[in-house]
């Protein structure tokens, strides 16, 4: 069934404010009713909440499709309780840290920034890492990355 953008917007904002997603919210976001949020579902939810993310990042986030459990975990981890800027930084870190190592090097930083629509040269990425790499290991940890995004 077709739901107006305001219903999707209210559901997405409500879920983020509570830091939880229930079956009702998921059903509203799952526009085709297949039990998974695909790229088009995620793109629409981001669009109606006045968010912005490029298609490659949406594809990576969606993967094989987000289930209710997947989305609940993401919202619980990155919900509005921590603040929108920190959420965006955490999502950006997840996109950069594609192998889940908890560290982002030059190539991962460039790839992640590109997915978010921010192109950088290798030298610019190295400079960012040098500036925010407090432990001197040549890579950004999650905390270092979040600090960089907030600068």
């Amino acid at each position: 069934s077709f739901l107006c953008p305001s219903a999707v917007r209210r559901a997405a904002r409500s879920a983020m404010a509570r830091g939880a997603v229930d079956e009702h919210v998921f059903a509203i976001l799952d526009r085709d009713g297949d039990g998974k949020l695909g790229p088009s579902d995620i793109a629409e939810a981001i669009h109606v909440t006045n968010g912005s993310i490029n298609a490659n990042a949406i594809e990576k986030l969606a993967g094989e499709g987000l289930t209710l459990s997947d989305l609940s975990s993401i919202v619980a981890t990155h919900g509005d309780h921590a603040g929108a800027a920190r959420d965006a930084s955490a999502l950006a870190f997840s996109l950069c840290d594609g192998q889940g190592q908890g560290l982002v090097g030059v190539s991962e930083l460039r790839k992640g920034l590109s997915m978010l629509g921010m192109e950088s040269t290798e030298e610019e990425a190295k400079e960012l890492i040098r500036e925010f790499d407090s432990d001197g290991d040549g890579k950004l940890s999650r905390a270092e990355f979040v600090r960089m995004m907030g600068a």
Side-chain angles (χ1 to χ4, degrees):
S1 67
F2 175 76
L3 292 168
C4 67
S6 63
V8 176
R9 182 172 31 257
R10 281 192 308 273
R13 285 184 178 154
S14 171
M16 293 302 283
R18 289 189 329 266
V21 175
D22 60 21
E23 293 85 5
H24 177 73
V25 170
F26 188 83
I28 291 171
L29 298 175
D30 182 19
R31 296 176 305 144
D32 60 7
D34 67 352
K36 294 184 177 184
L37 299 184
S40 66
D41 298 321
I42 294 169
E44 180 65 14
I46 290 170
H47 172 74
V48 300
T49 56
N50 299 318
S52 166
I53 189 170
N54 80 21
N56 289 336
I58 290 173
E59 289 289 333
K60 183 167 179 147
L61 180 62
E64 298 290 318
L66 295 176
T67 63
L68 172 58
S69 175
D70 297 333
L71 184 61
S72 294
S73 176
I74 290 169
V75 170
T77 302
H78 305 292
D80 202 36
H81 64 278
R86 196 165 121 201
D87 295 341
S89 296
L91 177 58
F93 183 83
S94 297
L95 292 172
C96 292
D97 183 28
Q99 296 180 0
Q101 298 176 337
L103 296 171
V104 173
V106 173
S107 63
E108 294 94 351
L109 180 58
R110 289 187 69 210
K111 183 177 180 182
L113 290 174
S114 176
M115 280 195 238
L116 295 168
M118 299 181 278
E119 299 300 324
S120 66
T121 65
E122 185 170 341
E123 189 52 43
E124 289 168 333
K126 285 180 181 178
E127 179 59 33
L128 282 170
I129 290 174
R130 276 192 297 270
E131 185 175 343
F132 292 96
D133 178 21
S134 56
D135 62 6
D137 66 354
K139 296 187 180 218
L140 296 177
S141 67
R142 179 177 297 274
E144 292 165 340
F145 187 90
V146 168
R147 200 173 75 244
M148 176 192 73
M149 294 298 287

